[in-house]
Amino acid sequence: MAIRIHNTLTGKKEDFVPLHEKKVGMYVCGVTVYDLCHIGHARSAIVFDTIYRYFQYRGYKVTFVRNFTDIDDKIIKRANEEGVDCRTIAERYIGEFNMDMGRLGLEKPSVEPRATEHIPEMIQLISTLIQKGFAYPGGGDIFFSVEKFKDYGKLSKRNLEDMQAGARVDIDEKKQNPLDFALWKASKPGEPFWESPWGKGRPGWHIECSVMSQKYLGETFDIHGGGRDLTFPHHENEVAQSEAATGKPFVQYWIHNGFVNINKEKMSKSLGNILTIKEILKDWHPEVLRLFFLSHHYRSPVDYSEESFNDAKSGLDRFYSTLNAIQEELTKPPTQKKLDSPLIENCRQAIESFQVRFEEAMDDDFNAAEALGYFYGLQRNLNSILDISKSRPTQEIVSMMKQGLDHFSKIGWVLGIFQEDPGDYIARRKKEGLKKVNLTEEEILRSIEERNLARKEKNWKRADEIRNELLSKGIVLEDTPSGTNWKLK
């Protein structure tokens, strides 16, 4: 089955046909490095990391390019406020970005170019646009003339006449049209600059992505991605300047992920609801963040709230509890006894069909939410055979448990989840939980021992009191043939 992608350019799903067989060239707009990354950056990074991983899983050789914008008005402003140069600001926040992405478990892109390392190529592209009549000088700046590019608006589905009618009245006198955008900006006093045929200056925002994507992927490449907010004007302008310069299609498939809202409000600095990745990871396991985002289709908006993250955390806890229980069960000697139960047959079918169903979901526009549904189904089936095995698994159940673990590990890698050792995950979660309820494991074990003694003496009232006392503190007791276990509620 072919991978199908919802192409923003055409507005419909299309079979993915790469320019070069079993190879993918993918460019994703990175961050402007003037501040810490927030939850919106995390979503885009996780979405395209998952797409990158899935192509690799399906046997494609992927060249994945994600850039850093390391010269920009915001960077200059931040540098001036702190009394340092722009490079200092850029280096600091590139370092912070790399730490955040590392903690989220992202795969490194093939190339991570910086805008300032590609100024000569930008000057060359701007010169080409001037020579072809698509760009003009104005007050020391160089602008792209949108009227000269007949397909302007085709990506964002906007009509040029409507855009012109809606343009603000405060027109920049240097522009021939208020929608024209800067390719090169003349330097102002105290700003960093580069020499160019048009004087000292620096590149505009949009030109850098056209240059860096085409340098590493070619004049036409397979996939360009980014957040939905970049569709217009950034990606629209990329299309215009790139195709005007080369006369060739710029990108085959455009992929855009949806917005992130905070408690049903748009995230913005003016509302004071910006949530950084560092703040999130103080309280939440990185895989909780991935599970939360991947539980929604990448094109749909998502709403962050404490409740939604708690739901994701609970789901992740249950997954790891199952995986830990399987690992513990596999340490026990199997019996040759054969068990006959429809639950065993259901589990076998779930395991045997899992990979195909996972791929069908991901082939359908990278539908990770549907793919996760098959993980939940597999978990339920594995839990059912855990109950059947009763601490003495049969050879057949052992085989299915091993296959289940393999699916969670290898196929879970595509989604970037279930990658921690289950025993380590459970141990850390217990430690964190005990700290919150102000209990130690020794205290719980003493209570269990006292309860066991009460049960032995048939003092059921006291045994129930101890169970309820622990339950009121968030500790759940589970009586099994091999003894009493405890877990956090």
Side-chain angles (χ1 to χ4, degrees), residues 232-467:
F232 185 87
H234 184 50
H235 289 164
E236 191 71 67
N237 292 348
E238 279 189 61
V239 171
Q241 64 199 12
S242 300
E243 296 189 358
T246 67
K248 301 174 184 177
F250 179 39
V251 174
Q252 291 206 104
Y253 305 90
W254 285 88
I255 300 176
H256 292 95
N257 64 272
F259 294 111
V260 178
N261 297 319
I262 307 291
N263 295 317
K264 300 182 180 178
E265 287 187 313
K266 182 179 179 181
M267 185 172 58
S268 69
K269 288 190 175 181
S270 61
L271 292 173
N273 63 353
I274 297 292
L275 192 61
T276 68
I277 295 173
K278 292 188 189 303
E279 289 170 329
I280 294 169
L281 296 183
K282 284 180 183 177
D283 300 318
W284 306 98
H285 190 284
E287 289 190 9
V288 169
L289 187 59
R290 294 189 76 117
L291 187 62
F292 168 71
F293 282 135
L294 296 174
S295 297
H296 304 78
H297 194 279
Y298 77 85
R299 286 191 288 112
S300 67
V302 297
D303 185 57
Y304 164 85
S305 66
E306 287 281 327
E307 182 182 3
S308 61
F309 259 46
N310 270 315
D311 289 344
K313 180 184 74 66
S314 297
L316 190 66
D317 286 351
R318 289 193 294 272
F319 276 123
Y320 272 110
S321 292
T322 298
L323 298 176
N324 187 57
I326 290 172
Q327 282 192 341
E328 291 180 348
E329 202 72 3
L330 291 176
T331 65
K332 299 165 185 174
T335 177
Q336 298 303 315
K337 180 181 177 182
K338 185 170 178 61
L339 298 175
D340 187 21
S341 168
L343 296 177
I344 293 176
E345 180 58 29
N346 290 342
C347 190
R348 182 187 298 107
Q349 291 178 7
I351 288 169
E352 289 176 353
S353 64
F354 177 80
Q355 186 168 351
V356 170
R357 290 181 175 182
F358 173 83
E359 291 174 3
E360 286 175 349
M362 292 297 288
D363 282 350
D364 184 17
D365 196 27
F366 312 107
N367 193 342
E370 184 178 339
L372 273 172
Y374 296 124
F375 274 107
Y376 281 107
L378 181 58
Q379 178 202 21
R380 287 192 296 271
N381 279 284
L382 289 169
N383 280 334
S384 70
I385 63 171
L386 275 167
D387 290 338
I388 290 172
S389 74
K390 301 296 183 186
S391 301
R392 287 300 305 276
T394 65
Q395 290 287 3
E396 182 182 26
I397 288 177
V398 164
S399 176
M400 286 194 286
M401 286 181 176
K402 287 180 177 178
Q403 285 179 278
L405 282 179
D406 196 54
H407 282 330
F408 272 91
S409 176
K410 292 183 179 178
I411 300 180
W413 173 85
V414 176
L415 305 182
I417 50 180
F418 318 131
Q419 298 304 292
E420 187 171 350
D421 177 79
D424 292 344
Y425 179 92
I426 297 299
R428 194 186 63 258
R429 284 287 299 119
K430 281 186 172 182
K431 185 177 179 181
E432 292 169 353
L434 291 176
K435 188 175 180 180
K436 288 182 180 179
V437 298
N438 197 27
L439 278 175
T440 66
E441 185 167 11
E442 290 74 17
E443 289 171 328
I444 295 171
L445 293 177
R446 281 199 298 269
S447 294
I448 290 174
E449 188 177 344
E450 183 186 350
R451 177 173 174 267
N452 288 340
L453 181 60
R455 294 174 74 195
K456 186 176 180 180
E457 295 173 348
K458 300 190 184 322
N459 187 351
W460 309 119
K461 181 181 178 182
R462 179 56 185 153
D464 288 343
E465 285 175 352
I466 294 170
R467 174 190 284 275

Side-chain angles (χ1 to χ4, degrees), residues 3-191:
I3 295 174
R4 291 177 60 77
I5 297 175
H6 184 276
N7 189 350
T8 307
L9 184 64
T10 61
K12 60 185 181 182
K13 287 183 188 177
E14 301 174 353
D15 285 354
F16 176 67
V17 181
L19 290 166
H20 306 285
E21 188 175 1
K22 298 306 286 185
K23 293 183 179 180
V24 178
M26 181 168 75
Y27 183 91
V28 175
C29 287
V31 293
T32 301
V33 284
Y34 74 100
D35 208 343
L36 296 175
C37 291
H38 54 65
I39 193 171
H41 297 129
R43 187 185 194 192
S44 183
I46 289 168
V47 163
F48 290 102
D49 179 65
T50 304
I51 292 172
Y52 179 33
R53 289 168 183 249
Y54 188 64
F55 274 121
Q56 292 178 82
Y57 165 85
R58 295 288 265 133
Y60 288 87
K61 182 178 180 181
V62 187
T63 303
F64 175 24
V65 183
R66 185 182 64 213
N67 74 299
F68 289 114
T69 297
D70 59 345
I71 185 65
D72 174 87
D73 289 341
K74 293 174 182 176
I75 297 172
I76 294 170
K77 182 175 183 293
R78 187 67 175 259
N80 289 337
E81 289 171 350
E82 296 190 17
V84 298
D85 60 24
C86 290
R87 186 178 184 85
T88 299
I89 297 297
E91 290 295 337
R92 179 197 305 165
Y93 290 108
I94 287 174
E96 296 289 356
F97 174 89
N98 287 333
M99 282 193 286
D100 288 343
M101 298 305 120
R103 289 195 64 195
L104 290 176
L106 267 66
E107 294 285 296
K108 291 283 287 184
S110 312
V111 189
E112 293 184 280
R114 302 184 185 194
T116 57
E117 296 171 347
H118 298 78
I119 302 295
E121 294 96 327
M122 295 182 208
I123 291 172
Q124 180 58 53
L125 180 55
I126 294 168
S127 298
T128 299
L129 290 169
I130 293 173
Q131 291 166 11
K132 291 192 171 186
F134 288 100
Y136 61 90
D141 299 340
I142 304 294
F143 295 99
F144 183 90
S145 176
V146 297
E147 289 180 304
K148 297 288 180 66
F149 185 70
K150 62 182 178 62
D151 289 331
Y152 192 78
K154 67 178 180 179
L155 179 65
S156 57
K157 310 296 184 293
R158 300 187 182 207
N159 179 276
L160 183 57
E161 292 181 2
D162 292 340
M163 285 190 281
Q164 289 173 326
R168 292 183 298 178
V169 178
D170 53 330
I171 298 171
D172 185 341
E173 293 182 357
K174 295 181 289 185
K175 295 182 181 181
Q176 296 174 1
N177 183 310
L179 294 176
D180 293 349
F181 56 89
L183 300 169
W184 186 263
K185 297 181 178 182
S187 65
K188 298 175 183 176
E191 288 188 349

